[in-house]
Amino acid sequence: MRLVIARCSVDYAGRLTAHLPSAPRLILVKADGSVSIHADDRAYKPLNWMSPPCTLKEGSGDDEGVWTVINKAGEKLIITMEEILHDSSHELGVDPGLIKDGVEAHLQELLADRIDTLGDGYTLIRREYMTAIGPVDILCRDADGQTVAVEIKRRGEIDGVEQLTRYLDLLNRDPHLAPVRGIFAAQEIKPQARVLATDRGIGCAVLDYDALRGIEDDKLRLF
């Protein structure tokens, strides 16, 4: 990973245009090729970014200090450097992935064993379906044969929806799986997460842990 702190302006040209005026910012260039620009707030959410696959070209001569990031759709992220305050690279290696807590892992196991609780005709493809950015909790097919990616959390918040969104973006590039839709499943789903999921066409499922274990009536509320 390359970390650059610089005073810069940023312009995005694609389906729409956006401009970030000059200010000190953190630029992350990851090993997967992605480039993201961050301010000193907003937690993890970048101000602007370009997802892989994309290419980064650092200008020279008259264009020195101008970075141009282009994705496969021809969209451009143009970063104009005014002053570089820090520039370093770090080898992070292969990430071991998120270790789920006991309840989350057990929910995944139970739902995979009883996948038809998502709906009649659902069939399991596999648990922990690996992508370039980590494993999808459950990959399955619905009664119509459409691929469905399920992300499971104990408590469903916005970051879980963002995680599933990234998985769906990758999975839908695979012609053997596409089109892939998503279901965000949790014991409790926060209202903001539900709104974001709905806006992105992702279904929300409230999981009843005891019901999945067979202690109560087997019901899964799917909204």
Side-chain angles (χ1 to χ4, degrees):
M1 178 183 290
R2 184 178 178 186
L3 308 177
V4 178
I5 299 175
R7 179 173 292 278
C8 62
S9 60
V10 183
D11 292 278
Y12 171 81
R15 290 166 292 180
L16 48 81
T17 59
H19 174 72
L20 293 173
S22 175
R25 297 190 175 93
L26 168 64
I27 302 165
L28 299 182
V29 183
K30 294 187 178 181
D32 63 3
S34 64
V35 178
S36 57
I37 295 96
H38 299 259
D40 199 11
D41 63 2
R42 303 191 185 196
Y44 62 89
K45 188 173 179 64
L47 297 167
N48 214 327
W49 67 94
M50 191 71 80
S51 300
C54 57
T55 57
L56 167 61
K57 179 181 178 182
E58 298 184 41
S60 59
D62 292 340
D63 291 328
E64 186 175 1
V66 178
W67 291 13
T68 303
V69 188
I70 305 176
N71 67 11
K72 65 178 182 179
E75 298 168 317
K76 294 183 180 180
L77 192 65
I78 301 171
I79 307 169
T80 303
M81 305 289 188
E82 298 171 14
E83 180 184 8
I84 294 179
L85 306 172
H86 174 86
D87 188 347
S88 63
S89 296
H90 307 269
E91 179 59 54
L92 302 184
V94 178
D95 190 87
L98 179 68
I99 299 175
K100 298 179 180 294
D101 66 29
V103 173
E104 226 172 85
H106 199 203
L107 280 170
Q108 182 194 119
E109 180 182 352
L110 289 168
L111 187 57
D113 287 341
R114 307 174 73 177
I115 196 66
D116 59 348
T117 57
L118 285 173
D120 292 338
Y122 272 72
T123 56
L124 179 69
I125 296 176
R126 66 167 297 167
R127 292 171 53 194
E128 299 286 334
Y129 186 90
M130 187 57 64
T131 75
I133 58 173
V136 178
D137 286 334
I138 290 177
L139 199 67
C140 58
R141 295 192 189 278
D142 63 17
D144 297 322
Q146 183 177 1
T147 309
V148 181
V150 184
E151 180 63 25
I152 299 171
K153 300 292 183 186
R154 184 170 58 86
R155 176 178 295 178
E157 300 187 23
I158 284 177
D159 58 348
V161 179
E162 295 282 7
Q163 182 180 359
L164 179 54
T165 300
R166 293 191 292 271
Y167 288 147
L168 290 170
D169 180 62
L170 285 174
L171 292 169
N172 273 298
R173 298 178 194 177
D174 187 338
H176 299 293
L177 297 175
V180 184
R181 63 182 178 89
I183 293 178
F184 186 51
Q187 288 181 281
E188 173 193 0
I189 299 177
K190 295 295 185 179
Q192 300 92 332
R194 186 182 296 278
V195 170
L196 181 61
T198 300
D199 182 68
R200 295 183 177 179
I202 294 171
C204 291
V206 176
L207 300 176
D208 187 322
Y209 185 58
D210 287 335
L212 285 172
R213 293 167 63 200
I215 295 176
E216 297 178 359
D217 186 32
D218 180 13
K219 291 181 180 178
L220 178 73
R221 296 183 295 279
L222 183 62
F223 301 92

